[in-house]
Amino acid sequence: MDKILVVDDDRELGELLMEYLGGEGFQVSLSYDGKNGAFEAAAGKHDLVVLDVMLPGQSGFEALKEIRRTSSIPVIMLTAKGDEVDRVLGLEMGADDYLPKPFSPRELLARVRAVMRRRNGPSDPERLTVDDLEMFVRSRQVMLDGIIVDLTSMEFRLLEVLLRSAGQVVSRDKLFRKVLERSAAPFDRSLDMHVSNLRKKLGPHEDGTDRIRTVRGEGYLYTLPVS
C-alpha cells in the first residue's frame, strides 16, 4: 500500500483527503505545518507528498527546499488558483506536479496515480546510453560521465522520453501526454520548467553545445554530440 503524506493546515481538507484517498487504497498521514511536514517527508516513510504552499511557520516552498536537500520523494504542490508565480517557483524548486485550489479529490487522485506510475516505472532492465549519459530504467538511475545525477520522478520520465528519440524533435503535445499524462493547456508552463531544471542538472555537451534544444513551435530535442 503506497503511503501519502498530506501537509496542509486546513484540517477539514486533510480529513477529507484521508478518507477519499484511503478509500482508493492509499495509506494517508496528515501534517499541519511546514516544519514537521518537511521532517516527515524526508524520513523515508512515505511514497509521495501533497504539499500546500501556504503553511504556518514555514511555507511550502521552504519545506520543499528542506525535503529536496535529502530526498527525491515525489511532491505535488497545492497552489492558489491562477497564481502562476507559485506554480513556476514550485516546479523550479523540484516539485513533480502542482494542483491549484480549489480542486476535487478525484482530480488529486488522478495526479497522484500519474506521479506514482512515473515513480515506479517499467520493470525491464533496459539501459539507455547517449554519449556520456547513461540511464538505467529499472533502477531509476542516471549517470553523467560516471557520476550519479539526482532527478525527480518527473525529470527522469522527461529525460527517458527524450533519450528514446535522441536526435529527433519530440513535440510538446507528446511530452505532455507521455510525461505529465495530460493534454497541454494554454499558459501551462510546467513542462518548460521541468526542461529548464533538467538542463541545469545535466549541463551542455562537452563541446559546449546544448543537450536539450528548444525547437520553437514544435517541441524539444535531445541533441547528439558532434563527432
Side-chain angles (χ1 to χ4, degrees):
M1 181 180 291
D2 288 321
K3 299 178 181 179
I4 298 175
L5 174 65
V6 176
V7 186
D8 197 313
D9 61 332
D10 186 335
R11 293 176 180 266
E12 185 175 345
L13 176 61
E15 294 294 335
L16 172 64
L17 295 180
M18 175 180 279
E19 180 178 354
Y20 185 84
L21 295 174
E24 295 294 333
F26 295 96
Q27 183 176 330
V28 181
S29 301
L30 302 177
S31 181
Y32 302 110
D33 67 83
K35 186 175 182 179
N36 288 328
F39 177 80
E40 291 292 332
K45 299 179 180 179
H46 299 88
D47 300 293
L48 181 143
V49 179
V50 177
L51 178 63
D52 189 29
V53 169
M54 300 296 294
L55 291 170
Q58 186 181 62
S59 73
F61 296 129
E62 293 171 320
L64 178 60
K65 185 177 180 180
E66 289 291 327
I67 293 169
R68 283 291 174 256
R69 284 178 178 169
T70 58
S71 174
S72 59
I73 185 172
V75 176
I76 298 176
M77 299 289 290
L78 302 181
T79 67
K81 185 176 181 180
D83 195 336
E84 184 179 359
V85 173
D86 281 356
R87 296 198 295 269
V88 170
L89 183 56
L91 294 170
E92 284 182 335
M93 295 179 67
D96 292 84
D97 206 350
Y98 68 86
L99 191 61
K101 288 183 173 183
F103 58 86
S104 69
R106 180 178 297 181
E107 188 176 8
L108 176 61
L109 175 64
R111 298 291 178 94
V112 166
R113 284 177 169 166
V115 171
M116 293 303 296
R117 280 195 297 269
R118 292 190 291 272
R119 175 182 181 273
N120 295 332
S123 59
D124 63 277
E126 187 176 5
R127 182 178 73 172
L128 303 176
T129 304
V130 178
D131 193 41
D132 58 351
L133 186 73
E134 288 183 291
M135 170 178 280
F136 300 87
V137 178
R138 185 173 184 177
S139 62
R140 314 293 288 173
Q141 188 177 77
V142 172
M143 300 187 73
L144 180 61
D145 200 20
I147 299 174
I148 295 176
V149 181
D150 187 25
L151 301 179
T152 66
S153 61
M154 192 76 74
E155 291 163 357
F156 186 94
R157 179 59 178 152
L158 172 60
L159 180 59
E160 180 185 355
V161 174
L162 291 173
L163 288 180
R164 290 186 184 279
S165 298
Q168 304 173 47
V169 177
V170 183
S171 71
R172 285 178 56 82
D173 287 342
K174 181 176 181 178
L175 287 171
F176 262 94
R177 293 195 307 271
K178 291 283 189 178
V179 179
L180 298 175
E181 299 191 18
R182 62 177 185 263
S183 299
F187 311 113
D188 188 342
R189 296 185 57 203
S190 53
L191 177 65
D192 307 301
M193 296 314 305
H194 288 304
V195 171
S196 176
N197 291 340
L198 194 54
R199 281 173 170 154
K200 292 174 184 176
K201 291 183 178 182
L202 299 181
H205 286 299
E206 191 173 9
D207 62 3
T209 59
D210 292 336
R211 286 183 187 273
I212 303 175
R213 182 186 303 161
T214 302
V215 181
R216 193 173 299 278
E218 295 187 42
Y220 292 99
L221 164 73
Y222 189 94
T223 63
L224 301 177
V226 179
S227 57

